[in-house]
Amino acid sequence: MQLTDLTAVQLLDGYRKGEFSPVEATGQALERARRIQPEVNAFVRLTEEDALARARQSQERWRRGEPAGLLDGVPVTVKDILLLRGHPTLRGSRTISEQGEWDEDAPSVARLREHGAVFLGKTTTPEFGWKGVTDSPLSGITRNPHDHSRTAGGSSGGSAAAVALGAGPLSLGTDGGGSIRIPAAFCGIFGLKPTYGRVPLYPASAFGTLSHAGPMTRDAADAALLLDVIGAPDPRDWSGLPPAPGSFTEALRGGVHGLRVAYSPTLGGQVAVRPAVAAAVRRTVALLADLGAYVEETDPDFSDPVEAFHTLWFSGAARVTERFSPRKRQLLDPGLREICVRGARYSALDYLAAVDVRMDLGRRMGRFHERYDLLVTPTLPLTAFEAGVEVPRGSAHHRWTGWTPFTYPFNLTQQPAATVPVGTDAEGLPVGMQLVAARHRDDLVLRAAHALYEAGVVPAPAVAAVRAPGA
């Protein structure tokens, strides 16, 4: 049996029944990670010795019938933006030294440790997570599991590629403008940006309250289980939410019957969507109606907030590098250097004007969700393009935000938003569909996505179709 083909829920069921062990699952996941690394480049580093030690401890707990928590023995990867105790967190940058004690876990990592998860390693990110593709001067280019000439997306590209190819069923990603949803859509997996504050963050992101942490998984059931673990409060994040009112896993039940779904194929004509993407999303929207949802094609009432997003995003990047020496700045990704220069020119009044746009957008979406439980859009208007570039060849846009207009608005509003794989284009590249709910209604996003998986209208987990190189 290939344990790398199983979800976290399936692994836990096997441990419970004694069909296989955490040591076996971890060994196979590590072997898969080593095999895919030369061609896909999903990892900054593997933590093999620590992983096997934790797997042996988990195996003994399962033998005694005393698992430590909800994810005891499940292999997990962590984006190299989040702290993992005992290992450097370099954030894709040559400006950070590996030297140091590295003696803290990020809140989500700490919760996973408490629940017995096995850490396989740190996954790749563009420098400081600044863009929607994954390449950096430190670790090079991360490639798409479906076509190694294409990008895996970003900024959580290493996590998406690892999950898609079976190097652990769960990964922790971060999302400041689409950085979970973009690579999840490009790689054909499930990704959830929870409501802001549902997953505590520490250290605080320089990008402020745009940045979320969340699950990247094979399906919605795994994401709900992971969110049950990492969604607990942490005193280091003053902006974090109190405990969720119930289990996200239990909230999966109920289907979509009676839900009011707004389908916006182009955000009111603002986005040019490729025909193959539009067709795959439209087919899945029709299936939501077949499952009992009330579907209406309509658009939320807002224009593209990209300039406000740029003001907040570029200012955050400038803050990250504010005290860098000229020599240190030369080590940065050239694109990051560009946006830092622009971000440093904004005034406090510019920033507050962007906040005003954000507040108005939040008001508009709050009123929209009085009428609709869910908003459905394509996750992206295109499928994965050439690896190693910020924008597709021939694009009229200079920055990554030009090709991902469906994602960053919902970082501005802090709403939960997920991507589910709903098909492929003529080249076999995955298409994602985005589900968005009102703030604090992560349960509805997960429930609708799970209904699609349960009905078999979402493709099987990507690892079952995309074999690791040499497999």
Side-chain angles (χ1 to χ4, degrees), residues 164-201:
L165 285 171
L170 307 178
S171 194
L172 294 179
T174 62
D175 189 317
S179 288
I180 285 172
R181 290 159 289 157
I182 294 166
F186 276 175
C187 292
I189 67 166
F190 183 81
L192 171 67
K193 177 189 76 67
T195 299
Y196 178 80
R198 172 47 54 214
V199 179
L201 279 172

Side-chain angles (χ1 to χ4, degrees), residues 271 304 306 310 381-382 390-392 395-405 408:
V271 185
D304 187 356
V306 67
H310 281 169
L382 74 177
E390 185 182 345
V391 298
S395 173
H397 302 284
H398 182 52
R399 295 269 79 103
W400 61 272
T401 44
W403 52 264
T404 182
Y408 55 77

Side-chain angles (χ1 to χ4, degrees), residues 71 79 308:
L71 292 172
K79 182 181 181 180

Side-chain angles (χ1 to χ4, degrees), residues 213-228:
M216 303 182 73
T217 62
R218 304 267 178 77
D219 61 20
D222 269 11
L225 178 60
L226 182 51
L227 191 58
D228 278 336

Side-chain angles (χ1 to χ4, degrees), residues 33-390:
R34 288 190 296 268
R35 193 188 308 169
I36 68 175
Q37 181 61 12
E39 296 185 62
V40 177
N41 188 32
F43 290 92
V44 177
R45 66 182 49 80
L46 292 174
T47 55
E48 298 188 42
E49 186 176 329
D50 287 357
L52 290 169
R54 287 184 64 81
R56 287 190 290 269
Q57 293 164 2
S58 173
Q59 180 170 284
E60 177 58 24
R61 289 192 294 269
W62 280 105
R63 187 193 65 79
R64 297 195 309 265
E66 300 172 353
L70 295 179
L71 292 172
D72 201 351
V74 175
V76 178
T77 57
V78 178
K79 182 181 181 180
D80 199 37
I81 291 289
L82 299 167
L83 296 175
L84 174 63
R85 193 174 74 211
H87 302 281
T89 298
L90 303 182
R91 299 177 173 87
S93 183
R94 295 183 294 174
T95 67
I96 298 177
S97 171
E98 291 192 18
Q99 304 305 310
E101 296 183 3
W102 303 108
D103 57 359
E104 273 193 294
D105 284 328
S108 51
V109 175
R111 302 295 85 75
L112 284 171
R113 194 181 296 278
E114 292 163 4
H115 281 261
V118 173
F119 301 108
L120 299 179
K122 303 298 290 293
T123 58
T124 52
T125 176
E127 196 162 21
F128 301 112
W130 80 271
K131 60 183 175 180
V133 293
T134 300
D135 58 71
S136 74
L138 177 69
S139 53
I141 298 170
T142 298
R143 299 181 180 275
N144 194 293
H146 298 256
D147 180 342
H148 297 166
S149 72
R150 309 297 181 101
T151 181
S155 63
S156 306
S159 289
V163 171
L165 285 171
L170 307 178
S171 194
L172 294 179
T174 62
D175 189 317
S179 288
I180 285 172
R181 290 159 289 157
I182 294 166
F186 276 175
C187 292
I189 67 166
F190 183 81
L192 171 67
K193 177 189 76 67
T195 299
Y196 178 80
R198 172 47 54 214
V199 179
L201 279 172
Y202 172 85
S205 170
F207 300 107
T209 57
L210 293 173
S211 294
H212 306 55
M216 303 182 73
T217 62
R218 304 267 178 77
D219 61 20
D222 269 11
L225 178 60
L226 182 51
L227 191 58
D228 278 336
V229 170
I230 64 176
D234 189 286
R236 295 171 291 176
D237 184 354
W238 63 269
S239 64
L241 295 174
S247 162
F248 291 107
T249 297
E250 292 178 3
L252 293 174
R253 295 188 290 270
V256 297
H257 186 81
L259 291 184
R260 301 163 299 166
V261 175
Y263 167 45
S264 179
T266 62
L267 292 180
Q270 297 182 77
V271 185
V273 179
R274 289 188 183 172
V277 172
V281 173
R282 186 173 290 276
R283 283 194 301 269
T284 309
V285 169
L287 289 164
L288 284 172
D290 290 343
L291 293 171
Y294 298 110
V295 177
E296 178 182 346
E297 186 167 328
T298 188
D299 302 302
D301 174 28
F302 66 81
S303 56
D304 187 356
V306 67
E307 290 307 321
F309 179 81
H310 281 169
T311 300
L312 301 173
W313 192 253
F314 296 171
S315 297
R319 176 64 175 166
V320 169
T321 61
E322 181 182 23
R323 292 184 172 83
F324 282 13
S325 67
R327 184 194 66 81
K328 209 170 185 180
R329 285 181 183 274
Q330 287 305 308
L331 298 176
L332 294 172
D333 180 327
L336 176 58
R337 277 204 307 272
E338 286 181 18
I339 71 164
C340 288
V341 169
R342 184 170 166 186
R345 293 176 181 152
Y346 291 124
S347 69
L349 290 177
D350 294 329
Y351 193 94
L352 290 172
V355 171
D356 285 344
V357 171
R358 183 180 192 178
M359 298 290 282
D360 183 63
L361 180 60
R363 176 189 64 81
R364 290 170 184 268
M365 289 307 302
R367 297 300 298 269
F368 183 82
H369 284 290
E370 288 183 321
R371 301 191 303 277
Y372 301 102
D373 298 302
L374 292 171
L375 169 65
V376 174
T377 74
T379 306
L380 299 161
L382 74 177
T383 52
F385 51 86
E386 177 187 356
V389 295
E390 185 182 345

